Amino acid sequence: MPLGKRMGQSPRDVAAAIVERLDIQDLCHAPEIAGPGFINLRLKDEWLAAELARRVHDERLGVPPVERARTYVIDYSSPNVAKPMHVGHIRSTVIGDALARTLRFLGHRTITDNHLGDWGTQFGMIIYGYKHFRDEAAYQREPVAELGRLYKLVNQLVDYCETRQAVPDLERQLAEREAALAGQLELLAGHDKSLRKKAEKAVRKLESQAQEARDELAAAQRKIQSVDTSPVLSQLAAQHPGIAEAALQETAKLHAGDRENLALWHECLPRCRLDIQRIYDRLDHPLRLRIRRELLSRPTGRRRPGVSPARSGPGQRRAVCVFLDGFDAPMIIQKRDGAFLYATTDLATIEYRMKTWHPDAILYVVDHRQSEHFDKVFAAARRWGCEHVELQHISFGTVMGEDGKPYKTRSGDTVGLEGLLDEAVSKAYGVVCANDDAKPGGPELSSDDRRHIAHVVGHAAIKYADLSQNRTSDYVFSFDKMVALEGNTATYMQYSYARTQSIFAKGKVDLDALRRAAISSRCKIRRNGHWPEAAAVRRGPAGRRGRLPAQSADQLPV
């Protein structure tokens, strides 16, 4: 249909021209044009039989390995340390794992490298919270949950302080926009008809800007109110008025090698790694967990080409930046307080990977909001001598809520990934039990079998629900759709496989014998153009070949 529009012809005429030039007689029956311009192709049975026979003995199903294997490093998942994994991590984890498995199957050397390099502002907040607000009993019982609580608490208090400081500017901005709107409305009243349309457009724009300022101010006031109306939070905010700057200082001390903060970092990370690894084990992801603390050499020591101190006032410490052609702003690799950023650790990690694995390509499976960051990191790395390695950002869309923003629960928290997995397995378990209990002869599965099937079906449902989305598009998160066991889901495909295995079992088909028979019958297929009977087909009591009893697919046991 789009081609017909581009060519200025009816779609059916375009379809007819295509069909006239098709040469697919060995593959398909005669093509048919249907509807406004669809081309229907029906594969020939003999071609399907020949392809099945050709592939049935081939473990690779006709997909040859690459002639020249490359070394790929795939950076994906990368959850934040000291915070539980949430539903937003599912895309990076599942897409990255699928990419790694595909490249390995093709014969490439593939290294999955999980860069847990987040020891920036977030960890400074955690350290501050650990020192001032820690519940020791809760930390010993569930360390990651407690660290997550501390981060959320400190982040809320920091946000409260920064929002209070921002309110006067927000009020001034709103007043300016409302004044501009009032002025434009006065002008509108005096315009003649020839200029009125243009003036109305300007009014609508100013109204939108004024409403945006009102919404921003209202959101800030709600944040402030949520703390002011809480006896606990308001007291903590009063006791820690400089918490924002203090948290940044904890980060800077960590990066400078402060003994106490480094000790806390080493104290927290092993516990966090175990928690993350537990989720990966559930998803059957053999992902390398590696935490890198190596950073770029300090600018006062060895400088790389293009690295320069940014301008600052007299007596002030200067930030260190990489100035790159084609970008309006430089890439900061060290802040004025001495702390480092994601760009710093990403560049250090590229250097490590180049020296350790000598890859042909490094792929970063990260959502599209980080595109500019990786453009800068790749540009800087190439200036440093990484011209011959392929650096690619494999971007993907964001998991969105119904409000069009990155998905969060009504409480403002992101949905925990483990909770999502638990719900999927629980729903699958309910279906398995209900079906097994309803069998005419009574239940056939043991409790362990039921739980194993639920584990496989539930986790597959989550993976497939994400992979079935367009990789580069945002999509609205639906809990019910994620754990659905019907329709275009992993469970539907698993059920097809189970039915096939049931047919083999009822027919007493020896699959190994079938494959051996297929090898010897390939020539017959090509010569006679039909599917020969295989010796592995079920034999009756007298040894003669028989056919499977006619049954409805719904009668086949799973």
Side-chain angles (χ1 to χ4, degrees):
M1 269 61 80
L3 187 59
K5 187 178 294 184
R6 285 169 54 190
M7 297 178 64
Q9 301 179 25
S10 77
R12 284 190 66 91
D13 289 342
V14 174
I18 292 173
V19 167
E20 186 180 350
R21 290 162 176 78
L22 280 178
D23 182 14
I24 51 173
Q25 293 181 0
D26 60 331
L27 176 70
C28 296
H29 295 284
E32 298 175 352
I33 301 173
F38 296 108
I39 301 173
N40 291 338
L41 303 176
R42 192 158 53 91
L43 297 174
K44 291 183 176 179
D45 291 349
E46 52 268 28
W47 180 86
L48 285 171
E51 285 299 304
L52 282 170
R54 184 169 68 85
R55 296 167 191 262
V56 73
H57 68 285
D58 182 3
E59 291 184 353
R60 300 187 60 83
L61 296 177
V63 180
V66 293
E67 293 183 4
R68 188 183 74 82
R70 305 178 79 202
T71 296
Y72 283 89
V73 174
I74 307 180
D75 183 319
Y76 69 96
S77 190
S78 299
N80 293 326
V81 295
K83 285 199 296 184
M85 294 179 70
H86 56 77
V87 71
H89 289 113
I90 194 69
R91 298 220 76 185
S92 177
T93 305
V94 170
I95 293 169
D97 185 60
L99 187 58
R101 291 173 186 265
T102 302
L103 290 170
R104 285 196 187 104
F105 182 74
L106 291 173
H108 296 292
R109 179 190 179 214
T110 306
I111 300 157
T112 54
D113 194 32
N114 194 357
H115 177 204
L116 300 184
D118 187 358
W119 68 322
T121 302
Q122 171 204 312
F123 219 90
M125 291 183 179
I126 290 171
I127 290 174
Y128 188 91
Y130 185 94
K131 291 179 178 180
H132 296 88
F133 310 129
R134 180 177 83 259
D135 181 332
E136 183 61 27
Y139 178 71
Q140 293 301 326
R141 188 171 56 252
E142 291 186 85
V144 177
E146 175 61 8
L147 292 173
R149 183 191 72 84
L150 293 174
Y151 169 74
K152 182 179 178 181
L153 173 60
V154 175
N155 188 54
Q156 185 176 13
L157 294 175
V158 168
D159 199 21
Y160 170 79
C161 294
E162 293 177 344
T163 302
R164 283 181 65 91
Q165 294 175 359
V167 163
D169 286 338
L170 293 175
E171 291 175 336
R172 188 190 70 253
Q173 187 179 67
L174 174 59
E176 291 174 351
R177 292 184 178 182
E178 288 182 334
L181 175 60
Q184 188 64 43
L185 287 172
E186 288 183 10
L187 291 174
L188 178 62
H191 279 312
D192 57 30
K193 286 187 177 181
S194 62
L195 299 175
R196 191 172 185 82
K197 188 173 183 181
K198 185 177 180 180
E200 287 175 345
K201 184 177 180 181
V203 167
R204 286 195 298 271
K205 182 178 179 180
L206 288 170
E207 285 176 340
S208 176
Q209 291 175 345
Q211 187 58 50
E212 184 180 322
R214 291 188 200 100
D215 292 343
E216 194 172 354
L217 179 59
Q221 290 169 338
R222 285 194 298 271
K223 284 184 181 180
I224 295 171
Q225 187 179 20
S226 68
V227 173
D228 286 343
T229 56
S230 167
V232 174
L233 291 177
S234 60
Q235 183 178 2
L236 291 176
Q239 292 171 349
H240 301 266
I243 190 171
E245 181 60 30
L248 292 176
Q249 287 302 315
E250 296 290 4
T251 305
K253 287 165 60 179
L254 174 65
H255 292 180
D258 177 79
R259 182 175 298 180
E260 181 184 12
N261 284 11
L262 275 178
L264 288 175
W265 191 71
H266 287 293
E267 155 76 15
C268 296
L269 286 183
R271 298 169 182 261
C272 299
R273 291 181 67 176
L274 288 174
D275 195 69
I276 294 168
Q277 188 62 58
R278 185 166 49 81
I279 301 296
Y280 287 151
D281 289 343
R282 289 188 63 170
L283 293 170
D284 189 27
H285 285 189
L287 191 58
R288 176 191 300 270
L289 273 173
R290 179 174 57 79
I291 298 176
R292 305 278 305 146
R293 193 167 64 84
E294 293 86 341
L295 299 173
L296 299 174
S297 297
R298 294 177 68 83
T300 53
R302 175 171 57 94
R303 287 227 179 99
R304 297 280 198 167
V307 178
S308 306
R311 295 184 179 88
S312 61
Q316 290 182 333
R317 184 172 184 168
R318 294 181 291 181
V320 179
C321 307
V322 179
F323 293 86
L324 300 161
D325 295 336
F327 295 94
D328 294 332
M331 182 177 68
I332 302 174
I333 61 173
Q334 187 178 31
K335 297 193 293 184
R336 288 191 300 175
D337 61 9
F340 299 105
L341 294 96
Y342 284 120
T344 328
T345 52
D346 281 335
L347 288 171
T349 304
I350 288 175
E351 187 173 52
Y352 172 87
R353 289 166 175 164
M354 294 300 296
K355 290 179 178 177
T356 306
W357 297 304
H358 309 286
D360 298 291
I362 305 176
L363 312 180
Y364 293 81
V365 186
V366 184
D367 87 44
H368 64 87
R369 291 174 294 177
Q370 301 298 321
S371 294
E372 183 178 359
H373 166 78
F374 283 109
D375 286 344
K376 289 182 176 180
V377 168
F378 296 163
R382 292 187 182 101
R383 289 182 63 177
W384 284 10
C386 297
E387 300 94 341
H388 303 298
V389 63
E390 177 187 349
L391 298 169
Q392 269 204 58
H393 175 205
I394 310 298
S395 64
F396 55 83
T398 308
V399 181
M400 312 295 282
E402 293 182 358
D403 58 359
K405 298 178 180 179
Y407 187 80
K408 293 187 178 182
T409 62
R410 290 181 181 176
S411 65
D413 297 325
T414 49
V415 174
L417 179 54
E418 188 165 25
L420 177 64
L421 297 178
D422 288 343
E423 181 67 19
V425 172
S426 175
K427 186 169 183 177
Y429 184 74
V431 174
V432 171
C433 292
N435 288 346
D436 194 37
D437 291 338
K439 288 177 180 176
E444 299 176 0
L445 300 173
S446 68
S447 177
D448 287 344
D449 287 338
R450 288 183 174 190
R451 294 192 181 282
H452 172 71
I453 294 170
H455 177 90
V456 173
V457 170
H459 289 94
I462 297 296
K463 291 183 180 182
Y464 185 79
D466 192 86
L467 288 172
S468 64
Q469 305 292 331
N470 185 311
R471 174 176 62 85
T472 59
S473 300
D474 295 342
Y475 75 90
V476 175
F477 176 83
S478 166
F479 195 94
D480 291 336
K481 185 176 180 181
M482 269 280 185
V483 298
L485 303 180
E486 299 174 349
N488 180 21
T489 64
T491 311
Y492 189 85
M493 293 190 291
Q494 290 171 324
Y495 191 43
S496 299
Y497 173 78
R499 281 180 163 181
T500 304
Q501 296 302 306
S502 177
I503 291 172
F504 289 150
K506 287 183 70 70
K508 299 180 181 179
V509 175
D510 183 336
L511 291 180
D512 291 333
L514 181 63
R515 292 189 178 99
R516 290 195 298 271
I519 296 174
S520 63
S521 64
R522 287 167 64 199
C523 296
K524 293 181 182 179
I525 292 174
R526 288 175 179 159
R527 183 170 62 252
N528 301 331
H530 68 279
W531 179 264
E533 291 182 296
V537 174
R538 177 177 67 84
R539 295 177 181 274
R544 50 191 175 75
R545 292 191 179 107
R547 297 186 180 277
L548 292 176
Q551 296 187 50
S552 164
D554 293 333
Q555 294 175 307
L556 296 176
V558 177

